[in-house]
Amino acid sequence: MIHIDSTSNMPIYQQIYEHLKRKIMAGTLKEGDKLTSTRVFAKNFCVARNTVENAYSQLCLEGYVLNKPGSGFIVQGMNDHLPSFLKNDLMHESQYAELERSSFEEPKVYLYDFQYGNLDILFPYSLWRRFTTEILLSFDAQRINSYNDKQGELDLRIEIMKYLQEARAVSCTPDQIVLCCGTQYALDMICKLFSDDGRKLAMEEPGYNGARTVFVNNGFEIIPIPIQSDGISIPDLERSSVKLTYITPSHQFPTGVVMPIQNRLHLLHWATQQNGIIIEDDYDSELRYHARPIPSLQSLDTSGRVIYLGTFSKSLSPGLRMGYMILPKWLLPKYHTMFAKYSSSIPWLEQKIVSLYMAGGHWERHIRKVCLYNKKKHDVMLKTITQLMGDKIIIQGNNAGLHILLQFVNGEKQNWLIDKAREYKVKVYPTSPFWHTKENASENTLLLGFSMLNEKEIVDGLTLLNKAWFDQ
Amino acid sequence: MIHIDSTSNMPIYQQIYEHLKRKIMAGTLKEGDKLTSTRVFAKNFCVARNTVENAYSQLCLEGYVLNKPGSGFIVQGMNDHLPSFLKNDLMHESQYAELERSSFEEPKVYLYDFQYGNLDILFPYSLWRRFTTEILLSFDAQRINSYNDKQGELDLRIEIMKYLQEARAVSCTPDQIVLCCGTQYALDMICKLFSDDGRKLAMEEPGYNGARTVFVNNGFEIIPIPIQSDGISIPDLERSSVKLTYITPSHQFPTGVVMPIQNRLHLLHWATQQNGIIIEDDYDSELRYHARPIPSLQSLDTSGRVIYLGTFSKSLSPGLRMGYMILPKWLLPKYHTMFAKYSSSIPWLEQKIVSLYMAGGHWERHIRKVCLYNKKKHDVMLKTITQLMGDKIIIQGNNAGLHILLQFVNGEKQNWLIDKAREYKVKVYPTSPFWHTKENASENTLLLGFSMLNEKEIVDGLTLLNKAWFDQ
C-alpha cells in the first residue's frame, strides 16, 4: 500500500514511481505481473490520472515495465542479476557537515615553511577583476558557450610568441604554440607523440620528479643521466642511445646549474645527428637576479629538435593552471592528427584575461616587479645563510629562481636536518625525491624555497635553522 | 668595432654582450682569445666600467668566455657543433599584424548550423562576474598563489556530490571525486589506471569518437560492440572477454537509446563476475524532456565496478573545461600512488566560482531553465520535421539531450544529403565518424544538433532542408 504524502517536496508522480520501482526490485511485483491500470490507480489514491501516467512512463523508459497495447503495463523480469544487497545508504546532511568541518590539511605546526612553488602576494587581483568584467560584458563573451581552439586562443598565442621572442629569443609562429593546463599536461601529449619510439627517455639526475612521474605513467623507461657542473653529461647521453630527453638547461632543477653555450651546441648537434628530441623545460627563466635571463636552447635550434615548455606558474600564479608548449613545425601534422578530436585544456575566459593582461603590457611590468621582489628575498637569504652558517654549508643554484640547495659539508644527514628543523618549527625539504636512482641521492643536501616567505620571515626562519643545526 | 647607441631601447651592457656574442659565434673571436679588459673597454667606448662588467658576466654565465683569475676573460671554444646556418630570422611586427588580421575560421557560408555541442545564450554572465569579485576580494583569494588539491577544491566536490546524489542517485563521498578539465582528461587518467590490463577496451558501436581517440592515443585496442534498441549488446560484450568498457547508458551517444534496467543489472553482473570495469559517461543526463532523468548506472552498482563521468559542458558551458570522475573506493590508493605528484587540471578561481554557484542554488535553477529552454527547441524540432518530412525519415534518440539522428528511409546517402543541405546554406553532420569500423557506418543517417539555434532558426533551417532534400 502506497502512502502518498502531498506535503512532501517529492512530486507525487515520483513518489508513485519510487514506490513501484522498489516493489519490482524487491520482488514483491514479479515478472509478468500487471500494474493496476492508470485509471483505477488514480481513482484509488485520489490523484490525477496524468500523474500516474507520468510515473508509469518513467518506469517504461527505464525498462521496469512494458506497456503492451491492449494488455496494460506488465512488470519485466530482472533476470538473475539483481544484486543480493541493496544500494549503499545515502549520506545524510549531518555527514556533509562533518566533512565540511573536518580539515584535510596538516595542522599548522610550522612557523616558517621553506616550501618551493607556492607564491605570495603579487597576483594582480584588481586587474583580474577588471578584465573579467570587460570580457564578460563584451560581444565576444558568447564564445564561452563554445568549444574553442584546441591549441588555445589565437590572441593569447600571439602574445606569448611576442613575449618569448623578446625575453627568451624563442623563434616560433602561433601555430606552433599549444596552451596546456600545466607542464604535466604538455608532457603527457609529448609522450603520446613519441610513444612509438621505444618509450625510453633520458632525464637529468637529479631532475624534476613532477615530470618523471608523467613519463613513468606513460610507460616510459627513465634513463638517468648525471648532472655535472655544466649541466647534463652529454657523453653519458650519447652512450645511452636514447632519442628523447627532458632537460632544464637555463636553471637546472633542482641544482640550479646553467648549461654553457658549448654544451648547448653539443646537445643540439647530438639531436641533429641522432634524430633526437630535446624537451626544454624553461620553467622559471624569467627569474634571474644578477644577470640577464639565459637565451633558450630553442633559440639556437636550427633543425627543429627542441620542444620548448613554459609556464605562468612561477611568476604569475600556480593556481591558474596555465602553461604552453612550442612544437617544431615538422611535428604539427602529427599533433593535428593525434589530437584532432581533443578539446582545449584551459577555460576560454582565463585565456582571454591573460591575453588582455599581456597585451596591455601588464605582464612585462609584473615580471620586472616579481624579479625585483624575489631578488631581494634571494639576496637576504644568501647573505643570512653566509653570515650564520659560513663554511658549514655550500649554497648551490643561487642567483635565479625561487629555491636554493644547501649542502652540508660536515656530513649532516637529510633526515636529521629535517627533524631538527621541525623541532624548531621550521619546514625544510629533502632533495632525495629528485633522484630516479634513490641510492645515488645526495644525503646531505636540502632544498629551501623562498617564494612563500617575506624577507623578515626568511631571516627569522634561517636564524632558527642555524640554532637547530649548529647551536649545540 | 662596436657601435654603441645610447638612444636605443636596448641597455648598453646588452649591446656590448650581443656584439661580443655575435663575434664569438661567427668565429671572429676565437677560442683562447682574450677579451679587452673591462677597464680598457670602458675607457675606449666611454661607458661605465660596471656596464662592461655586466656584459662580461653574462657571457661568462652562458659559457662564451671564462674569467681566469690573473689572465682575464678568455673566449671558449664552440667545439665542432656550431650550426652551419644561423638562427631563423625573427618575425617582425608587420608579420604579427598579418597574423592578427588573418582569420583561421572557415568563412561563414552557412545560414543555419545544426552543430552539436556549442550552446547559446543561457550562461550566467552577471553571476560569474559577481562571484569572481567576491572571491578575489575575500581572504581566501591568496590561495590562487598556491598549487591546490589535485582532486579539486573540497567545497566544490561536496556540492557535486550533493547534486549527483539528488539528481542522479549517485552514491559517493567527496574523496572519490576528481575534478578534470573535461571528460577526455578523465579518460586519460583512467587509461593510465588500467594500462597494465592488456590495453583492450570495449566501446559502443557507434559511439563517442572524442572518447575513442583518447583510448587509441593511449595504445588501447578498441573492441566495438554493437548498439541495439536496448543499448550495448551484452552477449557480444561477454564474448569479447574484455574487462574494460566505456558506455553512455542513460542517453547513448549518438543513437539516444536508453539502457533498460534489466540490461543495467546484467551489465553490472557481468562486471562483478569478470572483474570488469564500466566507465559510465553521463554526459547530458540533466537534459531529459518528457520524463525524469534516468538514474545512473553507478547508483545500482554495489560492488565498485563503475567509474562515473560527468561534465558541466552540456548544461553550463563547454568553454569552462570542467568535468569530473567518480572513482570506486578500492581504486583510490592506486589513483593516489600514480598521481601523487600531479597538479589539478582546473584553475582554482573557476572551481571556487562554480562552488559558490552551486551552493547558492543557482545551478539547480539553471538546470531547470536550460531543460525547459531546450525542451521547447526539441519539441519544435520534432514537430517541424514530422510535419515537413513525414514518413521519409525516422527520428532517433529523441526526448533528451541536444541532438537527434535522422534516418532516411528511401536510401538517400549521407554525402548527398550534406551536399544538398550545403547548397541551401544549412550545415548538417555525418554520423560516420562515430563508427570505429567505418564499413559498418550507417550511410543514410545524419546528426542534427539544436543547441546553437533558437526556435525560429530551427524551423527556418528545417524548411530549407526539406526543400534541399525532398522538393524535387
Side-chain angles (χ1 to χ4, degrees):
Chain A
M1 169 72 191
I2 177 169
H3 166 69
I4 290 176
D5 178 3
S6 55
T7 65
S8 161
N9 279 331
M10 193 188 275
I12 290 170
Y13 87 93
Q14 193 180 339
Q15 295 182 39
I16 298 171
Y17 155 83
E18 293 285 354
H19 169 78
L20 291 172
K21 189 171 82 169
R22 247 189 328 267
K23 284 178 88 168
I24 296 169
M25 293 294 272
T28 320
L29 280 169
K30 288 191 186 54
E31 182 168 5
D33 284 357
K34 196 175 146 181
L35 297 190
T36 316
S37 78
T38 54
R39 194 185 49 81
V40 173
F41 194 108
K43 207 173 144 213
N44 287 353
F45 294 98
C46 296
V47 293
R49 185 159 172 195
N50 188 33
T51 304
V52 184
E53 282 169 353
N54 281 345
Y56 282 27
S57 296
Q58 185 76 26
L59 290 168
C60 283
L61 182 69
E62 297 181 26
Y64 290 95
V65 300
L66 186 70
N67 185 6
K68 273 200 180 161
S71 333
F73 293 88
I74 310 298
V75 174
Q76 299 300 298
M78 291 295 119
N79 314 341
D80 303 321
H81 306 308
L82 196 67
S84 54
F85 49 115
L86 286 172
K87 188 164 134 356
N88 305 328
D89 285 331
L90 296 182
M91 230 191 199
H92 294 294
E93 284 288 340
S94 63
Q95 287 170 285
Y96 299 147
E98 194 73 36
L99 273 164
E100 283 176 274
R101 268 197 306 277
S102 76
S103 169
F104 285 70
E105 285 166 32
E106 197 177 354
K108 198 167 160 46
V109 299
Y110 294 105
L111 292 173
Y112 305 103
D113 185 351
F114 285 91
Q115 202 266 359
Y116 171 70
N118 293 345
L119 308 179
D120 49 4
I121 52 169
L122 298 178
F123 188 79
Y125 294 103
S126 73
L127 281 172
W128 204 268
R129 286 190 283 130
R130 198 223 287 173
F131 290 137
T132 302
T133 301
E134 217 167 272
I135 295 161
L136 289 180
L137 290 175
S138 75
F139 177 73
D140 222 20
Q142 53 159 318
R143 295 209 19 242
I144 205 167
N145 297 309
S146 304
Y147 287 92
N148 294 298
D149 194 320
K150 69 178 188 292
Q151 290 187 248
E153 290 298 290
L154 183 60
D155 327 357
L156 177 55
R157 285 186 280 136
I158 290 173
E159 290 304 326
I160 289 172
M161 173 188 71
K162 288 186 197 173
Y163 162 69
L164 290 177
Q165 190 164 302
E166 182 63 29
R168 314 287 307 119
V170 163
S171 170
C172 71
T173 48
D175 60 317
Q176 293 174 260
I177 301 179
V178 181
L179 272 292
C180 297
C181 61
T183 296
Q184 292 183 318
Y185 189 86
L187 292 175
D188 201 274
M189 293 185 118
I190 295 169
C191 285
K192 293 188 169 68
L193 286 167
F194 294 98
S195 62
D196 38 4
D197 288 350
R199 294 191 192 241
K200 272 191 180 186
L201 180 130
M203 256 193 86
E204 299 160 329
E205 175 86 333
Y208 174 43
N209 51 345
R212 191 189 303 125
T213 189
V214 176
F215 301 128
V216 169
N217 280 347
N218 277 281
F220 278 70
E221 181 191 346
I222 304 292
I223 314 294
I225 308 285
I227 283 294
Q228 300 172 330
S229 62
D230 55 0
I232 194 167
S233 162
I234 299 178
D236 282 311
L237 180 64
E238 287 172 330
R239 272 193 295 276
S240 75
S241 78
V242 166
K243 301 279 189 213
L244 192 61
T245 182
Y246 166 87
I247 59 166
T248 49
S250 295
H251 187 226
Q252 203 273 329
F253 189 85
T255 66
V257 167
V258 177
M259 182 183 278
I261 181 70
Q262 294 79 6
N263 288 23
R264 289 175 184 241
L265 294 173
H266 192 162
L267 193 65
L268 289 169
H269 179 77
W270 163 82
T272 311
Q273 295 296 307
Q274 298 298 313
N275 202 19
I277 294 290
I278 302 162
I279 307 166
E280 174 184 22
D281 188 353
D282 207 28
Y283 64 104
D284 71 353
S285 53
E286 318 71 87
L287 304 172
R288 185 155 283 284
Y289 307 129
H290 293 276
R292 294 176 57 233
I294 318 293
S296 65
L297 187 63
Q298 201 266 10
S299 70
L300 298 166
D301 175 26
T302 51
S303 39
R305 310 319 307 167
V306 174
I307 299 175
Y308 177 91
L309 304 182
T311 178
F312 288 94
S313 292
K314 300 294 173 238
S315 296
L316 191 54
S317 145
L320 290 187
R321 312 306 313 127
M322 192 184 286
Y324 44 84
M325 64 175 171
I326 300 179
L327 297 171
K329 282 198 183 280
W330 63 268
L331 199 54
L332 295 178
K334 186 164 185 187
Y335 162 77
H336 287 295
T337 307
M338 286 193 87
F339 300 105
K341 300 299 301 173
Y342 277 60
S343 301
S344 167
S345 58
I346 316 188
W348 174 84
L349 179 59
E350 188 182 52
Q351 295 186 47
K352 295 305 278 189
I353 295 170
V354 175
S355 173
L356 284 188
Y357 184 75
M358 293 181 87
H362 304 287
W363 167 243
E364 274 180 51
R365 278 195 289 280
H366 179 79
I367 291 285
R368 278 199 295 275
K369 202 163 102 183
V370 167
C371 233
L372 200 66
Y373 179 75
N374 283 306
K375 176 181 187 299
K376 279 189 196 158
K377 299 207 287 184
H378 166 271
D379 291 355
V380 162
M381 180 113 175
L382 259 65
K383 195 176 129 207
T384 313
I385 292 172
T386 309
Q387 279 173 355
L388 291 174
M389 307 184 196
D391 53 6
K392 289 174 233 158
I393 50 97
I394 296 170
I395 301 174
Q396 288 174 14
N398 46 333
N399 292 329
L402 301 170
H403 76 282
I404 55 166
L405 299 189
L406 286 191
Q407 191 190 340
F408 291 76
V409 297
N410 299 322
E412 291 89 349
K413 293 283 188 295
Q414 198 165 263
N415 290 343
W416 181 84
L417 291 161
I418 292 170
D419 288 347
K420 288 300 282 184
R422 194 185 154 92
E423 282 176 25
Y424 284 75
K425 298 189 191 303
V426 184
K427 193 160 185 183
V428 293
Y429 292 82
T431 52
S432 48
F434 308 123
W435 262 266
H436 178 66
T437 311
K438 297 296 171 205
E439 344 29 310
N440 296 341
S442 166
E443 283 203 315
N444 60 342
T445 308
L446 294 181
L447 182 140
L448 273 71
F450 52 86
S451 56
M452 254 174 74
L453 302 174
N454 64 32
E455 290 179 47
K456 183 175 181 319
E457 288 167 334
I458 288 171
V459 173
D460 294 349
L462 289 171
T463 307
L464 284 179
L465 284 176
N466 186 49
K467 272 196 197 149
W469 294 332
F470 301 118
D471 200 21
Q472 311 297 339
Chain B
M1 167 75 192
I2 178 171
H3 168 69
I4 290 177
D5 177 3
S6 55
T7 64
S8 159
N9 280 331
M10 192 186 276
I12 290 170
Y13 89 92
Q14 192 180 341
Q15 295 181 40
I16 299 171
Y17 155 83
E18 293 286 354
H19 169 77
L20 292 171
K21 189 170 82 170
R22 247 186 331 265
K23 284 178 87 167
I24 296 169
M25 292 294 273
T28 320
L29 280 169
K30 288 192 184 57
E31 181 168 6
D33 283 357
K34 194 175 148 183
L35 296 190
T36 315
S37 78
T38 53
R39 192 183 52 80
V40 173
F41 194 109
K43 207 172 144 212
N44 286 353
F45 294 97
C46 296
V47 293
R49 186 162 173 190
N50 189 32
T51 305
V52 185
E53 283 169 352
N54 282 346
Y56 282 27
S57 297
Q58 186 77 25
L59 290 168
C60 284
L61 182 69
E62 297 180 28
Y64 289 95
V65 301
L66 185 70
N67 185 6
K68 274 200 179 161
S71 333
F73 293 88
I74 310 297
V75 174
Q76 299 300 297
M78 291 296 119
N79 314 343
D80 304 320
H81 306 308
L82 195 66
S84 55
F85 49 115
L86 287 172
K87 190 164 135 351
N88 306 330
D89 286 330
L90 296 182
M91 232 189 198
H92 295 295
E93 284 289 340
S94 63
Q95 286 169 284
Y96 299 147
E98 195 72 38
L99 273 165
E100 282 173 275
R101 269 196 307 275
S102 77
S103 170
F104 286 70
E105 286 167 31
E106 198 178 353
K108 196 166 161 45
V109 299
Y110 293 104
L111 292 172
Y112 305 102
D113 186 350
F114 286 90
Q115 202 266 358
Y116 171 71
N118 293 343
L119 309 179
D120 49 4
I121 52 167
L122 298 178
F123 187 80
Y125 294 103
S126 72
L127 280 173
W128 202 268
R129 286 189 284 130
R130 197 224 286 174
F131 290 138
T132 302
T133 301
E134 215 168 273
I135 294 161
L136 289 179
L137 291 175
S138 75
F139 177 72
D140 220 21
Q142 52 158 321
R143 292 205 25 238
I144 204 168
N145 297 309
S146 304
Y147 288 91
N148 294 298
D149 195 321
K150 68 177 189 292
Q151 289 187 249
E153 291 297 292
L154 182 59
D155 327 357
L156 177 55
R157 286 186 280 136
I158 290 173
E159 290 304 326
I160 290 172
M161 172 188 72
K162 288 186 199 172
Y163 163 69
L164 290 177
Q165 189 164 302
E166 182 63 28
R168 314 288 305 118
V170 163
S171 168
C172 71
T173 49
D175 60 318
Q176 294 175 257
I177 301 179
V178 181
L179 272 293
C180 297
C181 61
T183 297
Q184 292 183 317
Y185 189 86
L187 292 174
D188 201 275
M189 292 185 119
I190 295 169
C191 285
K192 292 187 170 69
L193 287 167
F194 294 97
S195 62
D196 39 4
D197 288 349
R199 293 192 192 242
K200 273 192 182 187
L201 179 129
M203 255 193 85
E204 297 161 328
E205 176 86 330
Y208 174 43
N209 50 346
R212 191 189 302 124
T213 188
V214 176
F215 301 128
V216 169
N217 280 346
N218 277 283
F220 277 69
E221 181 192 347
I222 304 291
I223 313 294
I225 308 286
I227 282 295
Q228 299 171 332
S229 61
D230 55 0
I232 194 166
S233 161
I234 299 177
D236 282 312
L237 180 65
E238 287 172 330
R239 273 193 295 276
S240 75
S241 78
V242 165
K243 301 277 188 214
L244 191 62
T245 183
Y246 166 87
I247 59 166
T248 48
S250 296
H251 186 228
Q252 204 273 328
F253 189 84
T255 65
V257 167
V258 176
M259 183 183 277
I261 181 70
Q262 295 77 6
N263 289 22
R264 289 175 185 242
L265 294 174
H266 192 161
L267 193 64
L268 289 169
H269 180 76
W270 162 82
T272 310
Q273 295 297 306
Q274 299 297 313
N275 201 20
I277 293 292
I278 302 162
I279 307 166
E280 174 183 24
D281 188 354
D282 207 27
Y283 65 105
D284 71 353
S285 52
E286 317 73 86
L287 304 172
R288 186 155 283 282
Y289 307 129
H290 294 275
R292 293 177 59 235
I294 318 293
S296 64
L297 188 63
Q298 201 266 8
S299 70
L300 297 166
D301 174 27
T302 50
S303 40
R305 311 318 306 167
V306 174
I307 299 175
Y308 178 90
L309 304 181
T311 177
F312 289 94
S313 292
K314 300 295 172 237
S315 296
L316 190 55
S317 145
L320 290 186
R321 313 307 311 125
M322 193 186 285
Y324 43 83
M325 64 175 171
I326 300 179
L327 297 172
K329 282 197 184 280
W330 63 268
L331 199 53
L332 294 179
K334 186 165 186 188
Y335 162 78
H336 287 295
T337 306
M338 286 193 87
F339 299 106
K341 300 299 299 175
Y342 277 58
S343 302
S344 166
S345 59
I346 316 187
W348 174 83
L349 179 59
E350 188 181 53
Q351 295 185 49
K352 294 305 278 189
I353 294 170
V354 175
S355 172
L356 284 188
Y357 185 74
M358 293 181 87
H362 304 287
W363 168 243
E364 274 180 53
R365 278 196 288 281
H366 179 78
I367 290 284
R368 278 200 294 276
K369 202 163 103 182
V370 167
C371 233
L372 200 66
Y373 179 75
N374 282 306
K375 176 179 187 301
K376 281 189 195 158
K377 300 208 285 184
H378 166 271
D379 291 355
V380 161
M381 180 115 176
L382 259 64
K383 196 176 129 208
T384 312
I385 292 173
T386 309
Q387 279 173 357
L388 291 173
M389 308 184 196
D391 54 6
K392 292 173 230 156
I393 50 97
I394 295 169
I395 301 173
Q396 290 174 14
N398 45 335
N399 293 330
L402 300 170
H403 76 282
I404 55 166
L405 299 188
L406 286 191
Q407 191 189 340
F408 292 76
V409 296
N410 300 321
E412 292 89 349
K413 292 284 187 295
Q414 197 164 265
N415 289 343
W416 181 85
L417 291 161
I418 292 170
D419 289 346
K420 287 301 282 182
R422 194 188 155 89
E423 282 174 26
Y424 285 76
K425 299 189 191 300
V426 185
K427 193 160 185 183
V428 293
Y429 292 81
T431 52
S432 48
F434 308 123
W435 263 266
H436 178 66
T437 312
K438 297 296 170 204
E439 334 43 301
N440 296 342
S442 165
E443 284 203 315
N444 60 342
T445 308
L446 293 180
L447 180 140
L448 272 69
F450 51 86
S451 55
M452 253 173 73
L453 302 174
N454 64 33
E455 290 179 48
K456 181 173 181 322
E457 289 166 334
I458 289 171
V459 173
D460 294 349
L462 289 171
T463 308
L464 283 179
L465 285 176
N466 186 48
K467 275 198 194 146
W469 293 333
F470 302 118
D471 199 21
Q472 314 295 342

